[in-house]
Amino acid sequence: MTKIKLTAANRLSGLPRTTLALLIAAPLAAQAQPTQETGGDAGERATDLGSLVVTSTRRDQTLSDIPRSVRVFDGEELENLQAQTNSVQEILGKLIPGFAPPVTEGSAGSLTLRGRAPLFLIDGVPIASNTNFSRYLDKFDPMTIDRIEVVYGPTALYGAGATGGVIQFFTKPANTDSLKIEAGSQLRAYVTGEDNFDSDSQLRQFYASVSGPVNDRLSVYGYASYADTGGVARAEGDLLPGRSQFVDDISFLGKARLQMTEAQALTLTLNATELDYQDASFEFSRSIADDGTVIAARNPAPLSYAEPPTNEFFFASLDYAHEDVLGGRVSAQLYYSESEFLNPASDIRPLLMRFGGPFPDFFPGLWQTGRITDEFGLRTQFSRQFDNGLNITVGLDYNDAESDSLLPISSEADFDQTLFLDAAVRAQQTPPYTLDATGLFVEAGMPVTDRVSLSAGLRWDEFDYEVIGPYDVVFTFQPGERPGGSGSSDDISWNTGINFDLTDRTVLFANYSEGFTIPSLGFIGNNVPPGVPVSDSRLVEPIITESIEVGIRGNAGPLQFAAAAYTTDSDFSTAIGVDPATGLAVRDRAPIDIYGVEASVLWNVNDRFSVESAITWVEGEVDPNNDGNELDVTTQDVPPVKFWITPRYQITSKWSIFGQLFYVADRDEAFEDGTDPAPVESYTLFDLGSSYRYNDNFDVGLQITNLFNREYIPAGEASFIPGRVFSGPGRAVTLNLDFRF
């Protein structure tokens, strides 16, 4: 917890007096609950490295047993970010070392971990594992998150999409001992100046949950929320375009846990989210600000759609666990997920006029981007700990996915007269496809001496795919029909690692690991030349990633620390570049080498005051022509240096205050090499929050993000259209109220 002085009036001169008064008088955003897990890297916060159990390694392990970087985030630091934003992407960017900084909703990329694509899981359910759309995270309510676990680097534990690591969200569990009822609200507005308050930039969210036992065997958890979300304002006061703005957001999470016997349990989880778009006059992105960024157009009347925007997500999972089978533990999970989204319309005609092409005549000016995805799967495994310390896990994974894109194109002349988007042409941005993925794995670890332990894993994966044709591609400079195609890829990947207990509280570790997957089938289908079957293209060849990592984690008195250095390479990865003739972002296959360093530290100064900090440095080279001429990897994949420091101070037993300085450095090497459309300029953001617990039943909090209302362009905010760049959000003030019974 940290002490932040509200002095230096000259630095706060841009903050409205009413806002500053609220911060001092009704302090405290983000329920202040002092715990021993105060600070940044919860996975490294435990006083004893053997006290925190990680489950995303697919068997219960303590940090001292895992020879790779693993981080766990829960408790106060997660609550602080949940109180700041309803964007999961923003939470990840401010929370996880190695993860790219937050971007605006205008960007579909930049969801990378150490420069590679991670696999996202919610309670074990993969989220659109073969797509590159960040849209799937927009539907997930961060208020339902109980814990986030991050397993860095490729691993034999997971298959498709896990070449960069695994980020798993665990939702809140059912309470088994007593009935708990909670209700609350989150109110947010963008206040970018004393005379610049826009009532359209507000969020009003209301939520309630109930958790407790029904009887001795059955316990349940239910959560529901409603959010009326307005626009997002930049520092200059203009509203920004966004795909999750001016929406009514309804979210539901339900869990039922049945303790069948003392050793057997069954858990059913249902999660559903729906975004309904409001009629609003600011939802269209076709204005250009003075600095060349895109802002929301103030249309004279609300837009209307033949194909209204939508965003719906649902998943269900059934988990079974038996704690005593042949001396070990058996677990199995069946899951199903379905997702459909159709974004508000995009109008790039002002950009085409501004940059003058060269674009082909058939390039659409008005369109909506969307996708429908269904996935069904099974995960099952058996784990056993032997008397000699050997721990072994074997398992089977199966996933069946279907995906199809939506691309309604509207008549430009009719829209300019009526503001009606008629969806006159129903095209596809990428072709429909099916993908079956099967994986078998074995993972084992054991102590060799009192200080040394080893682990190793082996995994076989097979991917059977079909890109359904014939189909046409809209956004291409090679018009013509593609036939589609089908095929199969399989291979074996493996990993090994070693832990060395330097002291009882400090561990050195090193590992080698491989990842095996195939690239996005939508990307492949969009990039094969006309007349060429997908199965005959080199683009469909699998991605094999190799990683080497060394690191240290531990405690030294009041200091708790973690650091790692790594390098990953793949001979035929998916690379982003810029077409020099058009300025458009393009994807291809090329060798990529990525390397970096991460470090984090928590200093518990005393029982009331702590400071945590982390730094991330990632770099990489791509060889687009495979001729030894390497270029810097685009910032869409490799972010600039990221640094943050968060002090926290527990003023009284009920009142806490905290802040964060978040810094992103310059990065222009990729721009000079032609792989970035623009250089990245550094920026520094300050957040400030305070929380007060009046009694056991009521908390109130206030948070201010981007305290000094900095105008900036987020790192990684590249675009597939030249000049289509979005600013970051301006100053936002959030009030949180939470009631418990």
Side-chain angles (χ1 to χ4, degrees):
M1 322 258 155
T2 42
K3 185 174 183 179
I4 296 181
K5 297 182 179 179
L6 298 178
T7 56
N10 58 321
R11 297 182 67 192
L12 295 175
S13 59
L15 187 64
R17 293 184 181 88
T18 54
T19 300
L20 185 57
L22 277 172
L23 180 65
I24 298 174
L28 319 170
Q31 301 83 14
Q33 302 180 37
T35 70
Q36 66 177 359
E37 291 192 328
T38 307
D41 181 359
E44 316 297 345
R45 276 184 269 143
T47 302
D48 180 3
L49 291 177
S51 67
L52 190 137
V53 176
V54 178
T55 61
S56 288
T57 53
R58 299 196 69 166
R59 65 185 190 273
D60 291 349
Q61 291 182 281
T62 62
L63 275 177
S64 58
D65 295 330
I66 304 173
R68 64 167 64 227
S69 291
V70 176
R71 297 176 188 263
V72 180
F73 303 95
D74 59 4
E76 186 179 31
E77 73 172 331
L78 183 56
E79 291 174 359
N80 291 342
L81 290 172
Q82 289 169 323
Q84 286 183 5
T85 178
N86 59 349
S87 167
V88 172
Q89 183 173 326
E90 184 175 351
I91 289 175
L92 298 180
K94 289 186 173 182
L95 190 67
I96 300 176
F99 196 83
V103 296
T104 67
E105 286 195 341
S107 176
S110 300
L111 291 179
T112 59
L113 182 65
R114 292 182 173 179
R116 305 281 182 179
L119 175 65
F120 294 99
L121 304 168
I122 301 177
D123 290 330
V125 178
I127 305 303
S129 54
N130 190 250
T131 72
N132 293 317
F133 282 89
S134 63
R135 192 70 173 104
Y136 292 97
L137 288 182
D138 296 343
K139 300 180 284 288
F140 185 35
D141 188 340
M143 295 296 290
T144 64
I145 301 173
D146 181 64
R147 186 174 82 259
I148 300 174
E149 293 186 0
V150 183
V151 179
Y152 288 83
T155 169
L157 294 169
Y158 294 91
T163 55
V166 177
I167 299 177
Q168 181 157 200
F169 306 96
F170 294 90
T171 58
K172 295 179 179 179
N175 192 43
T176 58
D177 52 12
S178 61
L179 179 66
K180 293 184 178 180
I181 299 174
E182 186 173 359
S185 65
Q186 187 173 90
L187 310 174
R188 179 179 304 114
Y190 287 87
V191 185
T192 56
E194 292 188 11
D195 300 320
N196 193 2
F197 175 79
D198 195 329
S199 60
D200 291 296
S201 62
Q202 296 183 19
L203 174 140
R204 295 175 288 272
Q205 182 177 12
F206 306 92
Y207 60 87
S209 66
V210 59
S211 180
V214 176
N215 54 42
D216 292 341
R217 294 185 178 274
L218 179 64
S219 57
V220 298
Y221 173 80
Y223 170 92
S225 73
Y226 167 77
D228 177 358
T229 305
V232 173
R234 63 187 294 202
E236 298 295 327
D238 306 294
L239 289 177
L240 297 170
R243 60 203 178 202
S244 295
Q245 298 175 26
F246 299 107
V247 297
D248 295 322
D249 186 350
I250 300 172
S251 181
F252 167 79
L253 172 67
K255 285 188 175 183
R257 176 182 171 84
L258 177 63
Q259 194 70 39
M260 303 166 61
T261 67
E262 185 176 346
Q264 298 181 78
L266 196 65
T267 303
L268 174 66
T269 302
L270 303 174
N271 194 338
T273 302
E274 180 177 347
L275 274 66
D276 296 320
Y277 286 82
Q278 306 165 355
D279 289 333
S281 57
F282 304 103
E283 62 179 291
F284 209 64
S285 57
R286 63 175 192 175
S287 294
I288 305 296
D290 293 338
D291 60 3
T293 59
V294 180
I295 59 177
R298 296 178 177 266
N299 293 306
L303 308 177
S304 56
Y305 289 87
E307 295 284 350
T310 186
N311 191 351
E312 299 177 1
F313 175 66
F314 169 80
F315 84 75
S317 68
L318 185 64
D319 295 83
Y320 169 79
H322 195 306
E323 304 295 336
D324 188 12
V325 176
L326 300 176
R329 183 179 190 271
V330 169
S331 62
Q333 179 186 50
L334 282 171
Y335 61 84
Y336 171 76
S337 68
E338 61 180 20
S339 175
E340 178 177 355
F341 72 84
L342 184 62
N343 287 334
S346 296
D347 184 355
I348 65 166
R349 292 174 295 166
L351 297 171
L352 299 182
M353 293 174 59
R354 184 180 181 197
F355 288 90
F359 292 93
D361 294 337
F362 58 80
F363 219 78
L366 290 166
W367 79 86
Q368 297 167 256
T369 300
R371 182 169 290 274
I372 300 173
T373 300
D374 295 286
E375 295 196 31
F376 164 81
L378 166 70
R379 296 187 189 277
T380 182
Q381 61 192 59
F382 170 76
S383 299
R384 181 176 175 182
Q385 174 83 42
F386 293 88
D387 293 339
N388 62 358
L390 174 65
N391 190 320
I392 188 167
T393 301
V394 295
L396 164 70
D397 298 331
Y398 173 76
N399 181 268
D400 182 316
E402 297 181 3
S403 185
D404 194 4
S405 71
L406 308 172
L407 192 74
I409 299 172
S410 294
S411 303
E412 299 172 21
D414 291 345
F415 171 78
D416 291 336
Q417 293 293 323
T418 64
L419 292 181
F420 176 67
L421 292 137
D422 58 9
V425 177
R426 286 171 170 79
Q428 291 177 316
Q429 185 173 2
T430 58
Y433 67 81
T434 64
L435 174 63
D436 291 340
T438 304
L440 297 170
F441 74 91
V442 58
E443 185 89 3
M446 70 174 298
V448 179
T449 69
D450 291 341
R451 292 188 175 272
V452 178
S453 61
L454 299 176
S455 70
L458 193 68
R459 183 181 182 95
W460 171 81
D461 282 295
E462 181 178 63
F463 300 98
D464 299 309
Y465 65 87
E466 180 181 8
V467 176
I468 301 171
Y471 63 93
D472 292 316
V473 177
V474 174
F475 297 105
T476 181
F477 291 89
Q478 293 181 297
E481 189 174 88
R482 277 85 167 161
S486 60
S488 179
S489 295
D490 69 280
D491 206 341
I492 292 176
S493 56
W494 62 282
N495 60 262
T496 185
I498 182 171
N499 276 340
F500 175 71
D501 295 342
L502 191 63
T503 70
D504 291 340
R505 300 165 65 89
T506 302
V507 175
L508 298 174
F509 62 87
N511 66 77
Y512 169 84
S513 58
E514 294 180 341
F516 173 78
T517 188
I518 62 172
S520 166
L521 292 169
F523 149 71
I524 296 168
N526 220 27
N527 285 273
V528 296
V532 176
V534 167
S535 51
D536 291 347
S537 171
R538 71 185 185 95
L539 297 175
V540 79
E541 293 183 19
I543 300 173
I544 300 174
T545 305
E546 298 179 335
S547 172
I548 298 175
E549 179 190 29
V550 294
I552 184 173
R553 55 175 167 251
N555 308 322
L559 292 177
Q560 300 165 24
F561 55 88
Y566 58 88
T567 177
T568 67
D569 67 85
S570 50
D571 292 336
F572 204 52
S573 187
T574 302
I576 301 176
V578 177
D579 187 331
T582 64
L584 287 171
V586 294
R587 288 180 178 267
D588 203 347
R589 303 294 303 276
I592 294 182
D593 296 325
I594 294 176
Y595 44 89
V597 175
E598 297 159 4
S600 62
V601 62
L602 170 66
W603 180 25
N604 293 303
V605 181
N606 54 43
D607 292 341
R608 292 179 177 271
F609 182 38
S610 68
V611 180
E612 58 173 319
S613 183
I615 188 168
T616 296
W617 174 75
V618 189
E619 268 304 337
E621 284 82 38
V622 57
D623 186 356
N625 299 314
N626 203 15
D627 58 3
N629 183 22
E630 293 185 332
L631 307 175
D632 282 276
V633 173
T634 174
T635 309
Q636 280 262 323
D637 288 332
V638 171
V641 170
K642 181 178 76 170
F643 169 80
W644 54 260
I645 183 170
T646 300
R648 290 185 174 90
Y649 185 58
Q650 192 74 31
I651 300 174
T652 69
S653 61
K654 296 183 177 182
W655 181 14
S656 68
I657 191 168
F658 66 93
Q660 185 182 69
L661 179 152
F662 187 84
Y663 170 75
V664 175
D666 292 320
R667 189 170 191 263
D668 58 8
E669 298 89 349
F671 170 71
E672 293 175 355
D673 282 351
T675 52
D676 266 356
V680 175
E681 296 183 2
S682 66
Y683 53 91
T684 304
L685 305 177
F686 294 89
D687 299 337
L688 180 63
S690 186
S691 175
Y692 188 79
R693 170 162 290 184
Y694 282 100
N695 52 48
D696 291 339
N697 302 111
F698 178 55
D699 294 346
V700 60
L702 189 70
Q703 302 221 21
I704 302 176
T705 54
N706 195 358
L707 177 67
F708 300 115
N709 201 37
R710 170 72 185 271
E711 180 74 27
Y712 69 101
I713 296 176
E717 185 54 72
S719 175
F720 294 95
I721 306 297
R724 194 165 182 252
V725 177
F726 300 80
S727 299
R731 180 190 300 122
V733 180
T734 304
L735 175 67
N736 296 272
L737 304 173
D738 191 74
F739 301 86
R740 294 174 304 279
F741 308 95

